[in-house]
Amino acid sequence: MPNAKVLSEKQAIVAELTEKLNGASAGVLVDYKGITVAEDTALRTECRNNELDYSVVKNTLLRFAIKQCGLEEMDEALNGTTSLALSTADPIAPMRVINKFAKQFNGSKFVIKAGFMDGKVLALDEILALAELPAKDVLQAQVLGTMLAPITSLAIVLKAIAEEKGGFVEAEASAEAPAAE
């Protein structure tokens, strides 16, 4: 039986993990066995740049936290070495960043174990499909571009008509003439 101090420290870690999991929009569990310090440093830098919380976690402590969060389906993935990447802002970011690093190693020493999004545990194929989506900013720009395309086309057509009629002044004059009658 562990002493009270060790037990309270572990309970604090579980409480912190539970809070992080509940506050996260998405997360990915990874088996990181065999990566070098330089590779881990590059991964952590990439995670920081994408506003991800990345840390190595103890399986037993994470097991208690995922049970408290209702993510028990990830329990079977908690074996071997485990690290956790979480995002509170962009739900696709952890999957995209972790998948990018997993591709570098061809699944040999950096493997995605499990993941979740919005409180739902995802299958591995769902994680990989979501990882291929562009970043949130890129998706927003694409949607905005789609919305602006008809307006831009209309502006181009109106400009061409105005130039064909001899300029904007004549177009305004001809528009005012019918209004005077």
Side-chain angles (χ1 to χ4, degrees):
M1 182 86 184
N3 67 30
K5 181 180 176 187
V6 172
L7 187 60
S8 67
E9 288 173 358
K10 288 182 178 182
Q11 288 172 338
I13 292 170
V14 170
E16 182 183 349
L17 278 171
T18 303
E19 184 179 322
K20 284 182 180 182
L21 287 170
N22 282 330
S25 59
V28 178
L29 295 177
V30 182
D31 184 351
Y32 63 92
K33 183 178 18 190
I35 65 172
T36 66
V37 172
E39 292 164 343
D40 185 57
T41 302
L43 172 62
R44 289 176 185 273
T45 301
E46 185 73 20
C47 287
R48 262 192 307 278
N49 291 342
N50 285 280
E51 299 176 10
L52 299 181
D53 180 8
Y54 178 81
S55 58
V56 173
V57 291
K58 288 189 174 272
N59 290 329
T60 52
L61 299 178
L62 184 58
R63 187 170 283 118
F64 287 118
I66 65 171
K67 284 181 182 175
Q68 291 179 10
C69 295
L71 299 170
E72 293 90 0
E73 296 172 49
M74 293 195 315
D75 194 356
E76 62 191 39
L78 296 177
N79 51 39
T81 56
T82 304
S83 62
L84 176 64
L86 298 172
S87 174
T88 55
D90 184 1
I92 307 298
M95 296 159 208
R96 189 178 57 253
V97 171
I98 297 300
N99 188 47
K100 174 184 165 188
F101 275 84
K103 282 181 179 179
Q104 289 178 357
F105 303 116
N106 296 324
S108 60
K109 58 183 179 177
F110 192 81
V111 180
I112 297 173
K113 293 180 172 185
F116 70 94
M117 180 186 286
D118 296 327
K120 178 184 173 252
V121 176
L122 302 173
L124 187 58
D125 58 336
E126 291 175 312
I127 294 169
L128 297 176
L130 288 170
E132 298 301 322
L133 289 175
K136 184 178 179 180
D137 296 339
V138 174
L139 286 173
Q140 288 173 337
Q142 289 174 347
V143 168
L144 186 59
T146 304
M147 291 170 48
L148 289 177
I151 297 169
T152 305
S153 299
L154 177 64
I156 291 170
V157 169
L158 291 176
K159 181 180 178 198
I161 291 171
E163 289 175 353
E164 186 178 289
K165 298 280 184 180
F168 288 107
V169 175
E170 291 178 20
E172 280 182 9
S174 64
E176 290 175 5
E181 295 174 8

